[in-house]
Amino acid sequence: MRLLILLIGLLTVGLVAGKSAPGRMAVRYDNFKVYQVTIETDLQMEELRKIQEHITVHFLNELAGPGRTYNLIVGPLFQRSLENTLNFLEIAYQVIVEDLQKLLDEASVGDDSHMEWETYHTLDTIYDWVDQQCAAHDYLECKVIGKSHEGRDIKSVRLSKRSGNKAILLEGNIHAMEWISSATVTFLLNQLINSEDPELQRLSEEYDWIVVPMVNPDGFVYTHEVERLWRKNRRPNGHMNTTGACYGIDMNRNFDYHWGGAGWNIDEPCDHWFGGEEPNTEVEILSLQDFVSSFDDGYIRSYMAFHAYGQYVLLPYGHTNTEFPPNYEQMKRIAAAFSDAAAEVYGSTFTYGASGLLNYVVSGAAKDWAYGVKHIPFTCTVELRDKGTFGFFLPSNQITEVGIEVTAGLKALVNKAQEEGIFD
Ligand SMILES: [Zn+2]
């Protein structure tokens, strides 16, 4: 009898532990600090790269070069040692987050029983909502465009109310930890389907909308169940480091357009930004590419990939900061319309321009492939809120505001693109 009670007890514990719940994640960050360091010289840059040889550190930004700030996460054990090292190297720093776990708790999943945009949601809830919308509206065509490495569906929704429309594609959550991406893309889709705003209704009549809300379902589930800070997909990439096998490819570094040029991080396969040993290796992005290619040439006229953070509209190209797309000035005018309209709502300013200029030179991004290979005439990466206060862990109470400002930006963008002849 006692054994039976013990067994039932163990089973119950097992069930509870197996279900993902906020704050129960395997990897916790209690009393971990986020340091922002300002790197001024090449020597400091070199030393910062080497810091991980003796301090366990999680870089939140790709180490591109001097003249920038970088955020890094360090646990209680190594904080003193990091501060001593930074002081010794005369690297200026400040602590921007005192307790990362507290921040993560405010940016976690709240009531996940149904889809709304006041909290973040799990993959199941997002996909259930997608399925419900598809069942309720016959102008939505929903398709599984492929399976992830671990066998999860990659779903798409195509909204088409009129034949002969041109299309705008919205891509979400290719980077696992950027939860605000799928939250915003689903917010936009919900507006297009359910809003009573006459302008949005017109946009959903006059254009087709293709939405892939979750390009990286494996990584996304991993950020919910194991490690909130995961970025890549979850395919073992064939490399090892001292902690074991290395997983994942940064899928927004894996698209084949001027792949592997300057700024490349190929030597560090365990890094969060590892773009693979060659382009087009990941099943998730191959599915996405096949899906995009399944439409007639000229049908998709705008491709927008949603990311966090920094408040940018990043245009092609990524692989160079000295060459610009043939219609770069036109794309800048369209991005400016987004930026101006978005800023009018809550004052969030979005900086726009070529990603190689504004961000840093790196290739393999979706927007460059969509522009350079698929010849889609307006493509961009939208880096959503914020500018670094919360960074990747934007609190849940900002999701709706982000959705509203991006909706305003998107309306202006489409109208400007129309005026500029993008849809002709
Ligand atoms: Zn991203």
Side-chain angles (χ1 to χ4, degrees):
M1 185 64 192
R2 216 174 263 173
L3 185 65
L4 186 66
I5 291 169
L6 185 68
L7 271 176
I8 291 169
L10 282 174
L11 274 173
T12 316
V13 170
L15 283 174
V16 172
K19 192 169 159 45
S20 72
R24 296 189 67 91
M25 223 170 280
V27 181
R28 288 187 59 88
Y29 289 91
D30 298 289
N31 299 310
F32 278 61
K33 290 182 180 176
V34 181
Y35 292 82
Q36 185 167 79
V37 300
T38 304
I39 299 298
E40 279 157 4
T41 66
D42 286 326
L43 184 66
Q44 287 178 336
M45 196 72 234
E46 214 175 294
E47 294 296 335
L48 186 66
R49 279 180 208 282
K50 283 196 273 183
I51 237 165
Q52 43 196 338
E53 288 167 14
H54 60 281
I55 294 173
T56 303
V57 46
H58 182 123
F59 288 105
L60 281 172
N61 318 99
E62 192 166 11
L63 300 181
R68 299 170 167 273
T69 62
Y70 297 96
N71 292 355
L72 35 131
I73 299 170
V74 176
L77 267 182
F78 291 100
Q79 288 163 4
R80 178 67 63 83
S81 160
L82 175 78
E83 289 172 16
N84 288 341
T85 308
L86 293 174
N87 288 332
F88 176 76
L89 296 168
E90 298 181 342
I91 294 176
Y93 71 89
Q94 53 172 326
V95 175
I96 59 166
V97 176
E98 285 288 344
D99 182 356
L100 179 59
Q101 189 59 47
K102 274 194 190 151
L103 198 64
L104 295 182
D105 291 343
E106 280 161 32
S108 62
V109 176
D111 177 2
D112 194 37
S113 61
H114 65 286
M115 188 71 173
E116 38 67 43
W117 288 267
E118 279 161 20
T119 188
Y120 293 104
H121 292 286
T122 57
L123 182 68
D124 287 346
T125 300
I126 295 171
Y127 273 180
D128 284 350
W129 175 79
V130 165
D131 294 344
Q132 286 157 15
Q133 296 305 311
C134 293
H137 304 284
D138 56 9
Y139 56 82
L140 298 178
E141 184 193 354
C142 296
K143 243 168 93 171
V144 174
I145 65 170
K147 297 268 188 194
S148 64
H149 175 73
E150 293 177 347
R152 293 185 177 87
D153 287 348
I154 302 168
K155 296 192 177 188
S156 69
V157 183
R158 179 167 158 262
L159 183 163
S160 181
K161 293 184 176 174
R162 216 173 65 174
S163 64
N165 282 349
K166 297 288 170 64
I168 298 149
L169 190 145
L170 311 177
E171 175 213 287
N173 247 134
I174 200 169
H175 287 145
M177 74 208 285
E178 298 167 10
W179 291 3
I180 189 63
S181 168
S182 54
T184 302
V185 166
T186 52
F187 184 99
L188 295 171
L189 179 60
N190 187 50
Q191 294 287 302
L192 289 163
I193 297 170
N194 296 312
S195 171
E196 286 172 9
D197 172 6
E199 176 69 352
L200 281 166
Q201 288 182 347
R202 184 181 68 78
L203 294 182
S204 81
E205 290 284 338
E206 295 182 359
Y207 302 90
D208 288 1
W209 296 82
I210 302 168
V211 180
V212 185
M214 185 60 63
V215 179
N216 184 4
D218 295 349
F220 188 71
V221 168
Y222 194 73
T223 62
H224 282 263
E225 294 182 351
V226 183
E227 160 64 280
R228 177 65 182 87
L229 309 185
W230 194 255
R231 175 181 173 92
K232 301 182 281 186
N233 67 352
R234 289 294 302 162
R235 185 174 70 79
N237 68 27
H239 294 270
M240 304 274 288
N241 69 6
T242 51
T243 61
C246 300
Y247 284 80
I249 301 293
D250 182 339
M251 294 198 284
N252 211 38
R253 300 278 187 281
N254 195 242
F255 286 81
D256 193 9
Y257 184 68
H258 289 271
W259 185 87
W264 200 241
N265 212 357
I266 200 160
D267 299 333
E268 302 294 342
C270 298
D271 269 10
H272 309 293
W273 302 276
F274 180 57
E277 255 129 334
E278 52 186 330
N280 286 350
T281 50
E282 302 314 296
V283 67
E284 293 88 350
I285 68 156
L286 290 172
S287 302
L288 180 61
Q289 292 179 9
D290 286 349
F291 178 59
V292 171
S293 301
S294 71
F295 297 102
D296 289 344
D297 286 348
Y299 169 61
I300 302 173
R301 308 299 288 169
S302 174
Y303 187 112
M304 302 178 70
F306 287 84
H307 287 253
Y309 59 93
Q311 295 174 205
Y312 291 104
V313 182
L314 299 173
L315 303 170
Y317 297 123
H319 68 278
T320 166
N321 56 13
T322 51
E323 281 172 56
F324 298 90
N327 68 331
Y328 182 55
E329 292 303 321
Q330 181 187 52
M331 279 198 280
K332 276 208 296 191
R333 291 193 292 274
I334 296 166
F338 175 96
S339 177
D340 292 346
E344 265 178 42
V345 191
Y346 300 109
S348 307
T349 52
F350 285 78
T351 310
Y352 53 88
S355 65
L357 265 188
L358 294 186
N359 214 350
Y360 41 84
V361 173
V362 68
S363 61
K367 63 129 174 42
D368 291 323
W369 173 83
Y371 184 85
V373 177
K374 299 312 294 180
H375 308 295
I376 295 172
F378 179 85
T379 74
C380 66
T381 299
V382 181
E383 298 281 0
L384 298 163
R385 282 196 200 178
D386 56 11
K387 289 189 174 229
T389 310
F390 297 103
F392 291 114
F393 319 109
L394 197 72
S396 313
N397 62 16
Q398 293 197 33
I399 300 170
T400 304
E401 285 192 8
V402 172
I404 291 170
E405 72 194 7
V406 172
T407 302
L410 189 63
K411 285 191 216 172
L413 179 147
V414 174
N415 289 333
K416 185 69 181 171
Q418 178 70 52
E419 185 190 313
E420 291 279 348
I422 290 289
F423 297 100
D424 294 351

